[in-house]
């Protein structure tokens, strides 16, 4: 007899029915404000298919996706060229998941999309803090006159959370003015994850949105992204940082900025899948 | 509110429930005997996703997939390295579809896989004829000592049908011995589709298996295949030939040998999707 | 001594000062509404550099770019994610060129951008007609709820010109409803350029906007585009059609939809450059 | 027991010992004067390996490489950056082959290398004529001040043969001055092969050097070359032209300008291999 | 005069005649059970050609391939789709080399092929131990019902050696059950090479098969493989581990799983060549 | 209104007029002696365009390109195939810059081109020392009989400077004879940058030419180069070494050997741009 291959449709090990799931993964395939090299819209599709080259078990954490109740809800259909409608869809879908008691985990797409999910989370938990891994500050006030842009997402998020509530790690690129601004308004750690365990400890049980721009990784490990930055962290450092950050009370999270057209070997997609697996396993 | 994007999971316009469908599309992602450059295993996955760049409507035929009841059953999970088990799965799945009164349409995968479906069809209709579009004769008796190979599939099929029941078109590559052998045993038209309408007329209502190796197309139009052959037919010629062949009593069919890793522009995948759409629309 | 290589900055043979130029080429690097595979934003940059692999002389027309006064004005800086601001820039820049008595020739970018230039042209010449080469109708009323989209550009243009003033050639893809709608509102020729010389003759001296979506070419000749369509015209057919169309009173024109990331061989970029050269030489 | 796979080392079907061979194929992996996109140096290596995806038999000619005595002598080791030393090697090796009574068939490499072989042939047969298939005239007197360049090879060859002895076909690119010069000095047929059979008939038994720049093919069929030109001939037209030209008294020949790094699908390499096979079979 | 370039046919510095060689390198181009992304069949061909971009001298070891007697025997011709026949060829060829007193060094191809060579070695030395570098455990009992698979090779090897004789290093991926099983049956070191020098010291003069799956390297250094795994060892760590392991009594060895189609930059092929050079120099 | 996008024409932040600039960046697009895989000729063009994906500010150095007076002079037009003419152009242009009191910074192109700039610098400052970062010694006396080659550049430079004046770092590839020769004639540090700060301190105010072959980076971080070498330095190590070296009295410098055709992800180009930015910021 025959067997079905369900791999292309679902991320590895995320096959629980919605009703039973604690975590809901969904894709947000959209990159209309990407200013340099587009293509992150294809990330969720590629990650689902290629995730089956991984295993559900992590020897690093000694945990298995088979022991976690995760549903992969598929991709939203987002309108290219209409930023507010897109953010609105993500916000209302995230709200829906949160009101069902789920932990949303978005696969981007460009980093601006995190704003939709953060809007939903901050409405529910006004005391929300954000833990943000990235190569870039994402703190511009506008880009080419556009306030809603991948380069402004954490500035827009700060307008929702206020000072001192955004913890940034691994940052190694931005305008001088952004770094200066960050000194007043966010907690920015350049280049690496030093201080992350302490920050998480200090956060205690406060609700946290964890946003991972995968370009925090060194461009050697993760070339497949729109604006790769050399001099970043190793995968093992990210792996440990994910475990550390997940000790916080993470209420929603995302993994952003894989750009499959810039990943002809598939190794960046594989790294993105492994980062997502580690995140899904680490969430408490 | 949000909308779901169902595109990656189903071929364009093939969203009818199984019970209601007259045609069932399924993927056979396997290429273990491919002797030159592998990768056709990835065809069904890529075609499903990229098919949504097409339209359901064909101005060439003035027909629309929305008017045809087609179900996309997904991919079989075939064991790499085990040829007989793989053919067995395809045979038994095809049998299952035929006994449910469906018209099976397989997306390859390497061309050997057609043998599994032909076995099922010829058991049901011992008088089965085969219409075969290809650049290659596929009439070897073995390749590197292996009798079940992409290069032998029509020879193996002939063992089931006997002389004069395989109609080959577009053939432009093979050993001299294959062309000589064909003179006795098959009806081989080299280079183009001349004589196809007449052959279809002569077939009348006899059950026909239509097997399309996409490398029948010129390598300029269809570079994304393991053994591209220059000097082939244009897409418009194939399009017309599909319509001509579908006037026969096609009881099962396939579209084979797209190799996505050899198609970095995606244009071959797009052409494969369009060929499949035209086939699905043309089936009577 | 040394010599400067000016090639990357200017399209081949377009080095006249602005004041002396009759034709002004400019780039519009933007693709935010592209719904399938993005990247046309990179076309003008790649075309400028690669154009120097061509010659300024066309044996087909027996004309030379050195005999035509053309200025390459460089690229506009368009805000990704802000459609109206982008169209506004193109419109006001085109207006500026027209008021200086120049013939604007835009290098896209996605096809929606033509709307900006058409708006400027139709304001100046309310009797403007449009000659449109494309694989796709581009006549949808909206795409995913977005009225300003690459898939709607000729529908939006029709709102400016009214019935019977858009001449479409080479069309082979669209929804059934678009083809039906076209029967009432545009002059649509499917698949090829039949009737083009007659249409141009009938247009006489009426001002014409000539918009060339390069995917009118067969996907074998022009794979490097977001939605390649097999079954299109050959390059020689396009070359002749450009010469035919340029016999009209073309007041502005564009060459759209080359997508360099989907063109690893560079052959599509070379074809786009040659099409543009032929257009620049043919304009009367 | 085991079997050896000799495919990577020898072009398909060219396995006769040197002593027994009538034709000797050799590779010339060099491209130092290529001014646009380099890489033809890799052609012979790739063609040898990929040729085994073809068959030795040509149904077009009904001939088989197994019936022709051909030796593949491997590649010369040419010094990058030293043009005269490189041409000298090719000239002296070609002389050696001619003095052994062999018919040399060079796989380029850039087109300038033909000059080395033509020098050897013209010394032996001062009445030598050249039949030249190309997209480009190759008739410049210098390029960037360099007289020995891929763009000047037929001009340099003319200095050896004099007026009226170079027959050019398929030409569709060059400076106006080159086309003008050609009217006086060569027999240039633009765009296609019209007149080739007549030219061959007129040549009678005069010794002929046949030089095939594969970019004579349309860039859709043959994108994998440094300066692809749209609007060229189909593979079938080239195939017929090879058969026609080979009816002349061809004493040496070459197949030039495949650029494997620009051929990610491998289809251009496959077309180059097939063109070489057809040439080897057609030589009388 | 001319010089021959022998580079494409032989791995760098492996040009000794068979009779004089102590080490014999051979290629095994086969990957029929690869379940995810195929292509390792092309590794030996690419490695031979690209190896000449390296030097024969290693400053790390201060040794030179010119001082070691190595013969490159070329590639076996293995039948795609027939697993047992393929393993049989490798086994009998390895036996032949061992009986001639040679040290066999296989270039894969997929990792299952190691089983053929191990079968030959374990028959000759029943006390054989295996040192295994890999990202994956390769300890499954079957994959998709197939017992002979790249994912089961060390399980099959264990059936020949018994408990405690397989030393695994660098492992970071597998099913939980494989890691559990390994605790009983193999000596598995996760993530790195800690303990390797001690293990080698303990092995003393026992005969050792050294099997290197190159995906033990971090996916940043070695993206060109079917199932890249982030978080692996650096090249320098592998280089040291090779030197350490080669202090054992290595009687046969292999370097597996380079997948050239997934290596568009060629950097993974270069790393594979360098790893093989270091291995060939380190063997005592 | 509209805005111009000047990005493709100038390297990021290098927009000062020539007269006001202290540093002048220029491109040298030439690679005719490259013996393995060509393409570095395209580096300056790609780096200019892609540099705009970076920021002008370096958090590592806390400096901004906006505070440095740099002019990007564009590319020289160098004659492919004519080595001495090419070196002559670079030499005379560098002389021109030096006589204008500028600090020249060349973007290669292949490493041989450094010789042109070194010739100019050593004529002006006979006591010139060279600091050289590279994977390769570049100390051969000839390559394939050619004395002017990418593999001989530092040997030719030594003929100008004499013993002990070339400081080499990061070297991990070369012939044994080159390493032996280096012991007598240069100061070679293998594998890393140990001793660089001490060397710079010892150099004091002596004029220094700083030549960076980017393949000093590990091939994981920098795969996009003709002869990638695994086992190299990390980007952070290079970043620090650039800052260390720039403390010397650098009078001219270069950044060489990015090969864009081997960089499909663009990450190597991004790393090259960042290395150049760090260099431009660090120059005292």
């Amino acid at each position: 007899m025959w067997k079905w291959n369900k791999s292309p449709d679902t991320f590895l090990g995320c096959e629980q029915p919605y009703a039973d799931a604690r975590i809901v993964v969904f894709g947000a395939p959209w990159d209309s404000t990407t200013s340099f090299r587009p293509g992150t819209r294809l990330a969720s599709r590629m990650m689902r298919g290629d995730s089956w080259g991984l295993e559900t078990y992590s020897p690093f954490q000694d945990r298995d996706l088979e022991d976690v109740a995760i549903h992969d809800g598929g991709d939203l259909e987002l309108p290219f060229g209409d930023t507010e409608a897109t953010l609105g869809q993500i916000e209302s879908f995230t709200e829906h998941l949160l009101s069902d008691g789920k932990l949303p985990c978005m696969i981007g797409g460009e980093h601006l999309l995190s704003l939709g999910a953060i809007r939903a989370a901050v409405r529910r938990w006004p005391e929300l803090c954000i833990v943000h891994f990235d190569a870039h500050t994402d703190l511009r006030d506008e880009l080419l006159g556009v306030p809603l842009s991948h380069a402004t997402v954490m500035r827009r998020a700060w307008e929702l959370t206020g000072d001192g509530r955004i913890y940034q790690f691994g940052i190694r690129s931005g305008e001088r003015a952004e770094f200066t601004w960050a000194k007043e308004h966010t907690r920015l750690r350049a280049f690496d994850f030093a201080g992350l365990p302490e920050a998480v400890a200090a956060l205690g049980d406060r609700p946290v949105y964890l946003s991972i721009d995968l370009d925090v990784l060194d461009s050697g490990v993760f070339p497949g992204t729109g604006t790769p930055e050399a001099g970043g962290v190793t995968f093992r450092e990210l792996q440990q940082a994910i475990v550390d950050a997940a000790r916080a009370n993470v209420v929603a999270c995302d993994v952003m900025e894989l750009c499959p057209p810039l990943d002809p070997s598939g190794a960046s997609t594989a790294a993105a899948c492994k980062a997502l697996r580690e995140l899904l396993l680490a969430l408490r």
Side-chain angles (χ1 to χ4, degrees), chain A residues 34-96:
Chain A
T34 299
S35 51
F36 188 35
R37 301 186 302 172
T40 60
R41 64 178 67 183
L42 299 166
S44 53
R45 176 183 167 194
M46 283 302 288
M47 285 174 65
R48 285 200 183 89
D50 282 10
S51 66
W52 296 82
L54 286 181
E55 305 285 352
T56 55
Y57 173 69
S58 165
F60 182 72
Q61 299 192 48
D62 191 20
R63 295 189 184 183
D64 199 308
L65 288 175
E66 297 186 350
D67 304 330
V68 191
I70 314 173
H71 174 75
D72 181 347
D75 280 357
L76 296 176
E77 187 172 82
L78 302 168
F80 291 103
D82 189 337
T83 304
E84 268 301 357
T86 294
L87 292 178
Q89 271 210 44
I90 291 171
E91 183 177 351
S92 80
F93 184 61
T94 304
E95 249 171 15
H96 162 70

Side-chain angles (χ1 to χ4, degrees), chain A residues 15-244:
Chain A
E15 297 168 294
Q16 293 298 314
Y18 180 83
D20 302 342
R22 187 171 62 87
I23 304 171
V24 174
V25 171
F26 68 99
W30 193 90
D31 54 8
S32 285
T33 86
T34 299
S35 51
F36 188 35
R37 301 186 302 172
T40 60
R41 64 178 67 183
L42 299 166
S44 53
R45 176 183 167 194
M46 283 302 288
M47 285 174 65
R48 285 200 183 89
D50 282 10
S51 66
W52 296 82
L54 286 181
E55 305 285 352
T56 55
Y57 173 69
S58 165
F60 182 72
Q61 299 192 48
D62 191 20
R63 295 189 184 183
D64 199 308
L65 288 175
E66 297 186 350
D67 304 330
V68 191
I70 314 173
H71 174 75
D72 181 347
D75 280 357
L76 296 176
E77 187 172 82
L78 302 168
F80 291 103
D82 189 337
T83 304
E84 268 301 357
T86 294
L87 292 178
Q89 271 210 44
I90 291 171
E91 183 177 351
S92 80
F93 184 61
T94 304
E95 249 171 15
H96 162 70
L97 295 179
L98 294 175
S99 69
D100 282 357
K102 311 299 183 189
L103 195 165
C105 178
M106 175 166 57
I107 304 177
E110 61 157 277
H111 208 172
L112 174 63
L113 302 181
S114 300
L115 185 61
I118 290 170
R119 284 176 178 169
V122 85
R123 178 162 332 107
R124 193 170 190 86
W125 295 283
E127 72 277 27
L128 187 81
C129 289
I130 297 171
V131 174
H132 170 219
F133 299 168
D134 205 328
H136 306 88
T137 57
D138 288 0
L139 293 173
R140 294 196 187 204
D141 202 26
E142 52 80 33
L143 184 70
L144 305 177
V146 180
L148 290 173
S149 157
H150 66 100
T152 67
V153 59
M154 285 300 144
R155 183 69 169 259
R156 293 292 90 75
W158 165 85
E159 292 169 355
L160 302 176
T161 63
D163 283 351
R165 302 246 300 272
I166 302 180
Y167 296 74
Q168 303 185 285
F169 292 91
I171 312 297
R172 57 193 184 278
S173 183
E175 296 186 309
R176 174 178 268 163
E178 292 176 84
F179 281 88
T180 306
W181 189 91
K183 282 179 192 157
E184 302 287 313
H185 303 290
T186 75
R187 302 171 189 263
L188 185 157
R189 168 70 198 179
F191 306 121
D192 57 28
F193 294 112
L196 173 60
E198 296 78 6
V200 168
L203 282 166
D205 262 338
R206 286 185 70 166
V208 166
Y209 189 96
L210 173 58
S211 183
I212 302 176
D213 185 328
L214 288 163
D215 67 19
V216 73
L217 285 163
D218 189 74
S219 59
V221 180
F222 198 72
T225 191
T227 44
E229 278 277 340
V233 301
T234 67
F235 188 84
R236 287 188 191 172
E237 289 170 326
L238 176 60
Q239 203 172 18
Q240 184 60 53
I242 286 171
V243 169
D244 289 341

